Amino acid sequence: MNPTFFEQPILNSPYDAPTRHHALDPDGQPLDQPPVDGRRRSELITPVPKPRKKKAGKDQESFVLSDKEGLSTIEQEYNPTPIINEIRQHVATWREIPNPADWGVTPATAQLLKHWRHHNFQGVQPFFCQVEAAETAIWLTEVARREKRYKHLWAHIEGANKDANPELMRLALKMATGSGKTTVMAMLIGWQTVNAVRSPTSSLFTRGFLLIAPGITIRDRLRVLLPQDPDSYYRTRELLPADMLPDIDKAKILITNYHAFKRRETMEVSKVGRALLQGRGEPVVTIETEGQMLQRACGELLAMKNVVVINDEAHHCYREKAGSDDEGAYKGEEKDEAKKNNEAARLWISGIEALNRKVGVRAVYDLSATPFFLRGSGYAEGTLFPWSVSDFSLMDAIECGIVKLPRVPVADNLTSSDMPVYRDLWDHLKEQGYKMPQKGASKTGDLDPFQVPPPLQTALYALYGHYEKTYEAWQKAGIGVPPVFIVVCNNTSTSKLIYEWMSGFERPSDDGEKVREHSGHLSLFQNYDQYGERLARPNTLLIDSEQIESGDALDAAFRDIAGPEIDQFRRELIQRGGAGAVSADSITDSDLLREVMNTVGKTGRLGEQVRCVVSVSMLTEGWDANTVTHILGIRAFGTQLLCEQVVGRALRRQSYDLNDEGLFDVEYADILGIPFDFASKPVVAPPKPPKPVTRVHAVREREALSVSFPRVVGYRKDLPDERITAEFREDSRLLLTPELTGPCKTLLEGIVGAGVEIGPDVLADVRQSTVSFTIAKHLLYTRFKEPNEPAPMHLFGQVKGIVRRWLDEGYLQCTGGTVPAMVAYTEIADKAAELIYLACQRRDGSQTRMKAMLDAYNPCGSTSQVSFNTTKADLWKTSADKSHVNFVVCDSDWEAELSRVVESHPRVKAYVKNQGLQFEVPYRDGAIPKKYLPDFIVQVDDGRGPDDLLNIVVETKGYRGLDAQIKAETMKNLWVPGVNNLESFGRWAFAEFRDVYEIEKAFAKLVDDAVSKVAA
């Protein structure tokens, strides 16, 4: 790779047209070539590196721009980038015309263009991409509209709008997050207004503007577009020459969020009252008319004609495709998301259409970093709006240094995974069987913050460790505010769990008083001091974006969670407000949290010292904090749209100072858990033919081969004394690996720029005495404590000694960068406690004192109940004299080999595969009670005759992980002795076969040893 490729990711000045770009392959990945002269064409590419290793069996989601199989339509798979590139070239040629008289625009427009391009700005200078976006709208309106040679461009735009927006004329300007869409809005308003004032008879311009935002946050931030605002961009950013400032004061600008278009109830009427008013007549109408809604939402604009609408984050505004039922194609959360998208988009565009019918809409300018159709629109999800006319992509913004460079995991030290785990953390948690909370906090109640899955804890420690270094660097550099760490969660339960794990938590005691349980695992994010008291100013903020954006009151569940920090911020606001204390005290909870969130990283404001934001759902679009350096995603991300929107929260630069070369210095955003490496739309999968179905069942004629087994639900042990000892064996060993804890070395890279390796280094200094104390306490409370009884603290010394022995004798082994402190993760501590506890049972002679507890309602099961259908083709047809069930459904070649071996052995009387049999063995996977399904039951005549057969529970296992180790120990130390001591289900044993090529020899030896034992 050419060294400059990674050493110099920023190639162009942000204030000039790009002249170089990095060479990428057709998949958007870097080539081993120096930078290419010229500007990059508009293309549908994703500016992140592909993982060094990648799943081979799972198709990545991608754009399908043409479909030879006819699975999608041209309207759905539409790619307007050729038109965008053509318009861009025309605008570039037009820009180079030296004489303003030849530009083909009005004198006012010419003056504005010269001002934006050449004025010596005293403050913030417009970026080239901002000027280009405004130039594109101007060129299309004033130049291309009247020249025949550009007729095909307008024909394309009109055709695109006719299909999707038949009543409107929309132009979409695609601009990367952080590239300054608000400035472009100010330019468009200034251009339109000045021309409308100076050429009042022109049909191309207007003084009336409706700005529509997706939420309250953006609506409030857009106030800088009002000429009377103290921070008005027209004056403070010098976007208009001094002689044009009086003209902008004549503009009528209304800023709203699309929720204002929802028609409201005009009177509060109960159900009974409504029935009384209606009587026997027509239903009583108490909802606003369209005219009343417009009067409330649009006010003074209704007195004007042909206004201009500007949509911020315009991908939320569209009319779903006629005749489609796209919502029906999704299920569960995806269906809910599609429905929500459609309802919001329908409300938004319906409001614009209503305004058009009332006063006329001259043009709609859509601004968005991702002007794509959303899920449920009826168009292929991620399809670029076909009325897009300009594009300044995230890749362009990176090469100009306008945004931070996102770095994502490209490799880790987890050898068993085909994809870096932290690239898609949520998917990994799901694949490994970890269950994250699926409901809101009001439905799940108080969750245990110590039950955070180990891979997630390691991810938090790893990213936090890198954050600590960034925090220290900022402190040394004298930056007055801290860098910000964002966690994006799927619901209030998950966010609360992570929030409390990071920052600390309180739990009510029996008498109702608050008792601090933990001060938080990450010191810089703790909201408690060393004495357990809440800090006067929280370091970590919990936000529910959707709730505070709606403008409604917070629901009770979230208010309870965020209550302490809300109260603290309110007190600080009152202290800062002085004479304004009364108004500060009366501000709503939503307003207060919104104020804190919107001032994160801003000196002298409420949110200036917030270091971590834990967000429910996505953080608000338009959130303009420029101090975000780290993001962790803990939720599903179905499309690039979601990924780019969340990643976009970290892309705003912290510094806009140019270096000696006239370029920005590179800044990075380090990102875990967001699979930002595929395009926006799922590939349409062809239909699959149905598979043949086979019925697997017990054969009536083979009833003599029936196998019975006990249904065990638990274990009971009688302790003759309180002396605890343990016998450790090889199966007592706990091997800490990245598979168990999550990757301990993760390489983060951007598409360009330097990479960084992160790991949970902050855990390396934890002392072994602390580890042994933690495990001993956990073992005592979870294994030796009886229900509803106090913990037997008099046993703690013995338990601690056993744990210390377990550690000192090397039964805890760390590999792959793991450290002993990771065994204190609650889930791993549970596994360690179970292994030590099982070693104690072995030493205490559990063969004589352990008894199995049976299901009181259904204590016995048998092969007679087996009956199910399967579509699997890998079947072993059983011998009529060996099995009651007609087939073994083989999950692996091992099971077919075992079936062959047992059928060929003369001492085997019957066997059955445990599928559809409901033979379950209770065990503990850490603190979680689980059910283990062994592979086979084999009945062997070991010399005691056909009436006293030996029942062998057989497990075939290639890779033997910790979970399999605990299952085997449970079988040997609890289930087998417990069932044998019942003396009512015959004799039982357990065997594990770990080598497919040695099964026949190992099984023969197992039977021979059993026969010899009986003979002896």
Side-chain angles (χ1 to χ4, degrees), residues 797-809:
Q798 297 183 59
V799 172
K800 186 178 178 183
I802 290 171
V803 173
R804 189 59 187 249
R805 222 186 90 212
W806 181 74
L807 290 169
D808 291 343
E809 293 177 8

Side-chain angles (χ1 to χ4, degrees), residues 750-793:
I751 192 70
V752 290
V756 62
E757 187 174 81
I758 64 172
D761 303 330
V762 293
L763 296 176
D765 298 330
V766 178
R767 295 179 298 175
Q768 184 158 308
S769 59
T770 303
V771 175
S772 62
F773 181 90
T774 302
I775 301 304
K777 179 181 177 183
H778 194 81
L779 179 60
L780 186 74
Y781 274 81
T782 61
R783 301 302 190 274
F784 291 98
K785 179 182 178 298
E786 296 295 330
N788 302 318
E789 296 290 336
M793 298 306 296

Side-chain angles (χ1 to χ4, degrees), residues 727-733 811 839 842 969 972-973:
E727 179 183 337
F728 297 126
R729 297 178 181 172
E730 186 62 26
D731 275 344
S732 302
R733 195 175 306 281
Y811 286 98
R842 180 164 53 235
E969 286 289 275
K972 290 183 283 189
N973 296 321

Side-chain angles (χ1 to χ4, degrees), residues 557-864:
F558 184 77
R559 178 59 177 84
D560 289 343
I561 299 170
E565 63 190 44
I566 290 174
D567 295 339
Q568 286 172 279
F569 283 123
R570 190 182 303 280
R571 285 194 294 272
E572 183 175 350
L573 185 63
I574 292 173
Q575 291 170 358
R576 291 185 178 193
V582 175
S583 61
D585 194 36
S586 62
I587 191 173
T588 68
D589 296 337
S590 296
D591 291 338
L592 185 60
L593 282 183
R594 191 160 48 247
E595 168 68 15
V596 176
M597 186 183 75
N598 289 340
T599 57
V600 167
K602 292 179 171 60
T603 304
R605 306 290 292 276
L606 279 182
E608 67 173 324
Q609 292 302 321
V610 170
R611 300 171 182 172
C612 179
V613 177
V614 181
S615 169
V616 183
S617 189
M618 289 194 325
L619 277 169
T620 305
E621 294 165 303
W623 189 54
D624 62 349
N626 65 348
T627 53
V628 178
T629 55
H630 298 76
I631 297 184
L632 177 63
I634 311 173
R635 58 158 292 169
F637 293 91
T639 67
Q640 179 193 347
L641 182 63
L642 286 176
C643 295
E644 188 164 338
Q645 286 172 347
V646 175
V647 170
R649 307 288 74 78
L651 295 184
R652 296 181 187 276
R653 291 185 59 88
Q654 186 269 328
S655 170
Y656 289 91
D657 295 329
L658 296 175
N659 59 26
D660 294 339
E661 298 176 1
L663 305 177
F664 286 141
D665 289 324
V666 64
E667 295 182 1
Y668 293 98
D670 293 300
I671 296 160
L672 298 187
I674 301 177
F676 193 33
D677 62 346
F678 50 83
S680 308
K681 193 195 80 62
V683 173
V684 181
K688 296 182 179 179
K691 295 181 179 179
V693 176
T694 302
R695 182 168 174 256
V696 181
H697 64 97
V699 181
R700 182 178 301 176
E701 292 76 18
R702 305 183 193 177
E703 185 67 33
L705 301 175
S706 174
V707 176
S708 299
F709 58 90
R711 296 184 183 276
V712 177
V713 295
Y715 312 99
R716 184 179 72 249
K717 179 188 173 195
D718 301 321
L719 282 173
D721 54 49
E722 292 192 329
R723 185 168 181 271
I724 304 174
T725 56
E727 179 183 337
F728 297 126
R729 297 178 181 172
E730 186 62 26
D731 275 344
S732 302
R733 195 175 306 281
L734 175 59
L735 180 64
L736 282 184
T737 66
E739 280 81 3
L740 187 61
T741 65
C744 299
K745 297 293 181 185
T746 300
L747 177 63
L748 303 184
E749 287 183 354
I751 192 70
V752 290
V756 62
E757 187 174 81
I758 64 172
D761 303 330
V762 293
L763 296 176
D765 298 330
V766 178
R767 295 179 298 175
Q768 184 158 308
S769 59
T770 303
V771 175
S772 62
F773 181 90
T774 302
I775 301 304
K777 179 181 177 183
H778 194 81
L779 179 60
L780 186 74
Y781 274 81
T782 61
R783 301 302 190 274
F784 291 98
K785 179 182 178 298
E786 296 295 330
N788 302 318
E789 296 290 336
M793 298 306 296
H794 60 286
L795 299 178
F796 183 72
Q798 297 183 59
V799 172
K800 186 178 178 183
I802 290 171
V803 173
R804 189 59 187 249
R805 222 186 90 212
W806 181 74
L807 290 169
D808 291 343
E809 293 177 8
Y811 286 98
L812 175 65
Q813 294 182 326
C814 299
T815 63
T818 60
V819 293
M822 289 177 171
V823 79
Y825 292 179
T826 300
E827 185 165 318
I828 300 178
D830 275 318
K831 296 180 187 296
E834 186 69 7
L835 291 174
I836 298 171
Y837 178 72
L838 290 170
C840 293
Q841 310 312 309
R842 180 164 53 235
R843 177 64 178 171
D844 289 341
S846 59
Q847 291 282 348
T848 58
R849 298 205 304 271
M850 185 64 62
K851 285 191 177 181
M853 300 167 60
L854 302 180
D855 187 331
Y857 300 99
N858 192 13
C860 181
S862 80
T863 52
S864 301

Side-chain angles (χ1 to χ4, degrees), residues 938-942 945 948-952 987-989 1006 1010:
V938 182
Q939 291 187 333
V940 173
D941 183 355
D942 60 351
D948 189 10
L949 300 175
L950 176 64
N951 298 277
I952 306 175
R987 295 176 297 119
W988 291 79
L1006 175 69

Side-chain angles (χ1 to χ4, degrees), residues 479-616:
I479 300 175
V481 293
V484 175
F485 186 114
I486 295 177
V487 184
V488 180
C489 302
N490 62 325
N491 56 40
T492 52
S493 293
T494 301
S495 63
K496 179 185 178 185
L497 185 73
I498 302 304
Y499 169 73
E500 293 185 334
W501 184 91
M502 296 171 75
S503 66
F505 60 91
E506 298 172 341
R507 286 288 185 269
S509 60
D510 294 338
D511 58 8
E513 296 183 1
K514 289 285 183 182
V515 177
R516 185 178 67 85
E517 295 287 346
H518 200 278
S519 59
H521 289 82
L522 306 180
S523 58
L524 290 177
F525 299 156
Q526 290 174 346
N527 285 343
Y528 297 86
D529 63 20
Q530 57 183 328
Y531 306 108
E533 299 297 325
R534 289 189 68 91
L535 299 175
R537 178 182 292 174
N539 291 316
T540 300
L541 178 67
L542 180 64
I543 286 291
D544 186 329
S545 303
E546 291 186 0
Q547 284 197 42
I548 67 170
E549 279 304 296
S550 67
D552 299 330
L554 300 180
D555 67 41
F558 184 77
R559 178 59 177 84
D560 289 343
I561 299 170
E565 63 190 44
I566 290 174
D567 295 339
Q568 286 172 279
F569 283 123
R570 190 182 303 280
R571 285 194 294 272
E572 183 175 350
L573 185 63
I574 292 173
Q575 291 170 358
R576 291 185 178 193
V582 175
S583 61
D585 194 36
S586 62
I587 191 173
T588 68
D589 296 337
S590 296
D591 291 338
L592 185 60
L593 282 183
R594 191 160 48 247
E595 168 68 15
V596 176
M597 186 183 75
N598 289 340
T599 57
V600 167
K602 292 179 171 60
T603 304
R605 306 290 292 276
L606 279 182
E608 67 173 324
Q609 292 302 321
V610 170
R611 300 171 182 172
C612 179
V613 177
V614 181
S615 169
V616 183

Side-chain angles (χ1 to χ4, degrees), residues 119 135 193 239 272 282 350 563 569 620 729 744 764 859 887 953 965:
H119 178 67
E135 285 177 336
T193 301
L239 291 182
V272 174
E282 294 293 323
S350 294
F569 283 123
T620 305
R729 297 178 181 172
C744 299
F887 286 103
V953 179
Q965 183 180 326

